[in-house]
Amino acid sequence: MDDIDRESFKARFYPFDNKGHSVEMSSEKIIHQSGLSDIILDGEWLLVEGGDEKNRIHNTWINSVKAKVPGSIHTALWNAEIIPDPYFGQNDSIAEKQSYKTWWYKKEFSISDKIKNPILHFGGIANKCSIWLNNVKLGDHEGMFGEISFDVSNLLKEKNTLIIKLEPIPQVFEPEGTFFGGANKSWQNTVVFNCVYGWHYSQIPSLGIWRSVKIINQAAVEIENPFITTRSIDGKMSLHLTLRKNSDKLDGILKLSIAPENFEGKEQSFEYKVSSHLENKILNFDFNISDPQLWWPNGKGKQNLYKAMMSFVPINGESADYKELSFGIRTIRMAPHPKGPSPDKYNWTFVINNKPMFVKGSGWCTMDPLMNFSKQRYDRFLSVAKQQHIQMLRAWGGGIPETDDFYDLCDRYGIMIIQEWPTAWDSHNTQPYDMLEETVRHNILRIRNHPSLVMYGGGNESSNPFGKAIDMMGRYSIELDGTRPFHRGEAWGGSDHNYNCWWDDAHLNHNLNMTSLFWGEFGIASLPQKESVIRYIGKEEQNIWPPIKNSNFLHHMPIFGQVGEMDKLKQYSGYFMPDDNMDYFIAGSQLAQVVAVRHTLERARTRWPESTGALYYKLNDNYPAVSWSCIDWYGAIKPLHYFVQNSFEPLAAVVLFNQTNLTGNDADLPIFLLDDNLNLKGKNWEVKISCYNEKLECIGMQSFFGESKQKEVTQLGTFKLDKEKTKAKALLFVSDIVSETKTLFRTFYFMNFEVRKGSLYNLPRTTLETKRTGNSLVITNTGTYPAVGVNIICPGYESNLSVSQNFFWLNPMESKTVEVNIDQPVITNCWNKEGNPFIK
């Protein structure tokens, strides 16, 4: 299917079609002239509602408020106390109304020195706008992800006034009574990130200048869109760029230096003389980097990055241009399934640096309707992803072509990205073609140097991902890149999405048994941590149970509680806990989410290479709500993160189950050793499986031994329990890998939880002792029973807390050292801690 698609896109060329000029790299250090400085217009602007063009362009503004750029009109209004906190209660409906008004931005700025070739540049405006500089209209633009540029060489003065008019978001609502009743579907007729338009527990259509604004001080000759790619992992590289002249001649010296960015090594460089009468000179170069240090995905090796510094110095002494970028040395190709290529399936095996790998990952959700895309927020979520051993995120078609900070952090954390264009459910048929084309073209050129970017996608869950727009996306993926695959849609061509658990009310057993060639999405929703729930519902509601109609609790549900979400939560939470209060409800929903996700991931890993990857839905949220995420909008981590961290460990021993309730059945459970990097090769090792009942009596134990010969996936045998032993109100299984007297891995499983609700919290009690030195905690089980689900909490700081390991098993008198990332006092709990009043 890959070859069929590639042929159908009818690409006319790709950047490295022409053989490059072969250049020798030198160890000589090059001194680059710094480029011209841009004038950054970010920071404080003025914002005002309504008014006509004549009034706003020529008159003094009254009743304006301060607005930060980049940012949103909603944040400015919130900061000015004109609207209440949009994330609390049902204030989102107040914030939403602001999206349907006309807003004006103003920035006054001075320029002391004359700029020869100035360009006024907007990185991104949401969504439809008109722009004036010094009373002169420059133009109109629509489409959130296109850059907007104007030549302002004849307009700039010493003192300048820049005014932006934002048109209201159109109000086109889904009919009440339908699945997405009340959601604003106007996103289908423009190009924005659509998950904030009411179908994904956020209905605040984004509005504002969301990326940087600047006056670009152009050089006499500009270096445009430099692109470095790896031809082979032995250091053979290619560079593609365009030189564009703003003066009479294109004569000068192109200089390139390459140096390690995050590791030690030598700088390498070359110089190349250019002389041309063309307005735009396209150049390709082939060169070798000596002693290449490769970029690897998380858990497969180091994330070595290089910095490329390049300058063009005109011979006539005019201003030089300087550009720099980060890149990694890595290759990617897609290999077919072991059964061979198929005309209706993509090649789904990711081969990185010539090594096929099972891909462990999750979905990525654009993180804020108010467009707070700060690097700090990105780092919170992506650092959690790295800790979880995630190797891939699917930035799906409900979101944005992400910011430079996002890709930069993914480069450094080793997280590969599937970047889908902002289309969903066949919206490419109604979205304006020119806006989609601008989005795709601009953003491929912007992000194509990032080693973390491994695939482009045509959109989310389109039933018919064909037509002019999809073909354009595929064509540009070749003509502007050519080094990465493009997939028409997701799920498509062999990948799957499955929500029989949740939307179809299936029992959790369904997720224990389902399989796919490649999982693009699956999962169930759960409540956030209680601390987060109280933040968005308020203290007045925390003791009201069950929640009343039209409550804040019900409002912060998927689809705002309109399609039976509370009943679904009752079903899945009810497998574990009585429905007596909010605490039980939260705990039950979170445990159900753990079961619904971890077992599917582990079954997929054991099927490698028949199954090539699994991305569960999802890592993060766009708004505070009940959701599918493992870390909530505030940044508080759910139990799912820590269980998936175990499931995704490079070295793991897993137990496969086909049902959650084993009561009265003979159990014959497959045991698999997973060793992604063959760390046990040549070593003696033992995999030990132990089983406990609700009295925490060990009712079964079996060991599997091995040495020398090793594979990435090995079925060791089966763990057996007879039907008398499975007659337990809870069954807990512990899996250990031991080598050279050291425990290299441990996880635990919980089954039979439906037999008696709350049984996991009614186990025999034990005691814990915690000693802290700095951010290291030594936790000891000082009781006579195993400590189950040992976890660390930090009340008041859950949105900042991260623990190296959490929700783990400790045998009696056993100690474990874990790391926490904050200095505040923490509390150590376990499900069966003495004095724990959670279940009575």
Side-chain angles (χ1 to χ4, degrees), residues 139-157:
D140 305 312
H141 187 269
E142 183 178 354
M144 182 175 174
F145 309 115
E147 291 193 347
I148 312 165
S149 295
F150 301 100
D151 181 346
V152 291
S153 53
N154 297 321
L155 292 175
L156 282 180
K157 304 174 183 178

Side-chain angles (χ1 to χ4, degrees), residues 108-127:
E108 294 179 337
F109 62 98
S110 299
I111 296 179
S112 56
D113 299 321
K114 184 172 177 58
I115 300 175
K116 189 173 182 180
N117 299 300
I119 295 292
L120 175 60
H121 178 86
F122 298 84
I125 298 177
N127 178 45

Side-chain angles (χ1 to χ4, degrees), residues 358-419:
F358 180 92
V359 174
K360 299 176 287 192
S362 186
W364 172 261
C365 178
T366 295
M367 61 189 181
D368 188 40
L370 273 59
M371 301 186 291
N372 177 3
F373 300 142
S374 69
K375 190 168 186 175
Q376 181 181 11
R377 279 180 62 79
Y378 277 120
D379 195 41
R380 171 61 176 169
F381 301 122
L382 294 174
S383 62
V384 169
K386 179 177 175 64
Q387 182 190 38
Q388 199 181 113
H389 308 295
I390 280 177
Q391 298 166 322
M392 177 177 284
L393 291 173
R394 174 178 161 242
W396 100 133
I400 69 175
E402 285 291 342
T403 70
D404 297 336
D405 286 335
F406 173 84
Y407 293 103
D408 180 67
L409 287 166
C410 289
D411 289 345
R412 295 170 197 283
Y413 288 147
I415 300 171
M416 299 183 290
I417 300 300
I418 298 176
Q419 181 61 65

